[in-house]
Amino acid sequence: MLERRQFLGLLAAAAAATAVGGCASEVGAPPGTTVGATPGTPPPPFDPSRGYWMQGGFAPVAEEVTLTDLPVRGALPSTLSGLYVRNGSNPKVGDSPHWFLGDGMVHGVQFEGGRPVWYRNRWVRTPFVEEGLGGLDAPPGGARNQSNVSIGWHGGRLLTMGEVGWPYELSPEDLSTVGAHDFAGKLTTAMTAHPKIDPATGELHFFGYGFVPPFLTYHVADASGALVHSSEIPIQASTMIHDFAITDRDVVFWDLPVLFDLQAGIQMVTGATGAMPYRWTPANGARLGVMPLGGTGEQIRWVEIDPCYVFHGTNAFRDGDDVVLDVCRLEHAFTETEDLGVSTPHRWRIDTSTMAFTDEPRGDLPMDLPAIDRRVAGRPYRHGWYVEVDEAAAQPLELAGIRWMDHDSGETAAWRPDAGVHANEVVFVPEDDGEGEGWLLTYAYDANRGASDLVVLDATDVAAGPVGAVELPVRVPYGFHGTWVPA
Ligand SMILES: [Fe+2]
């Protein structure tokens, strides 16, 4: 990385003379500073009578745009060539009953040699968007889902995923929708928004959960994207399973007590209520299951744990007989008064020789939306990057800065942006061979100018703040998960 840092220094010096629309001298600025917020009009104060997801940085945008000649501040790495693209919830009709229930909209920036070529935002052309329905009209499934959670690149396909149906294939050229993708008719369940690519084989491991049996099914696609293995995993009820983990030899599921409520689901799709049809049900118990990578449901072994909820795992790996699993743990979720709570990092260990379980809290800093260097997915690793939440905000959920965590030592460091600037999930883009040697890309909403930047951080020095940014003239609403498609 030393060579790269020296190169960066030269690049920054050059950019200082040429930066457009901002102050290039902010490169290498001390922690707590922001790359170039242009003074503007702050958004109106939070209105508690309306959904938080309809306001501030969450509020949906009304138009699809294609923008070129994008201003750059600071120094973007000249090695950056590819597509950064992120999915999120953006109701086409302008309103939705929950943050999770808008139509999928992707926001992408194409780079060539460190130069931003274009920005595009596009709705995923699901039936709900095409038919102008403005939301679900029946329980989602198959092609009828909003495909709004994540986007991934595998087997030469760019796929958006919405957890409760099939993925959609998009063109990486212009983010237009190719169509629903059911793996040549082989995918008979939904597909999680958090599949895992095994870096050793290129295989895509994923699962689908169902509102009716089968409640959980494990799938493997080979490196070319062909679905080659599916196996039902027996669980007792329809629980919301947002993510899972792999190691170099295991698959790890968490079956936690957020249960699908059929009656509430019917009420939601008929418009009788806007509540998400999931209920915190600790009486259902909580358990972790471990099975061989590529294995079958009969091989899974479970261990009971205390009720809690986990949307996202950071990574998992083998340590001898132990499966080590880093998660963002919530005390509960979808209770009567609070659907999304605050999560903190925990390290879980399952001794596969005895199925003994240990839970090690790793601090009380609220953070989620983890990212890793995906070259070490399922392997021993050190570096994780998270979005911090602002617990002091007036609204129920507000995003803040980016925190790095060394998972060996527990040490952390953060980029704390200026007031009014809110970062989203980062995506790691490799630069050098070592784990974590590369860049972090994310959209950061700058309320001071009512628009968003695509900021780039040095993954090895998050606290230094962004090395550069693409200043978009539009706002990118807070979203969920993104990916990098190398050129
Ligand atoms: Fe997620």
Side-chain angles (χ1 to χ4, degrees), residues 149-150 163 192-194 242-243 311-312 368-370 425 480-481:
V149 180
S150 72
E163 178 166 320
T192 176
H194 288 285
H242 183 69
D243 192 4
F311 282 100
H312 300 117
D368 207 308
L369 297 170
E425 177 210 65
F480 305 120
H481 307 294

Side-chain angles (χ1 to χ4, degrees), residues 65-70 108 116-122 472-474:
V65 297
T66 301
L67 304 168
T68 56
D69 300 319
L70 300 165
V117 181
W118 51 254
Y119 161 83
R120 281 180 164 87
N121 65 318
R122 293 292 183 271
L472 301 174
V474 293

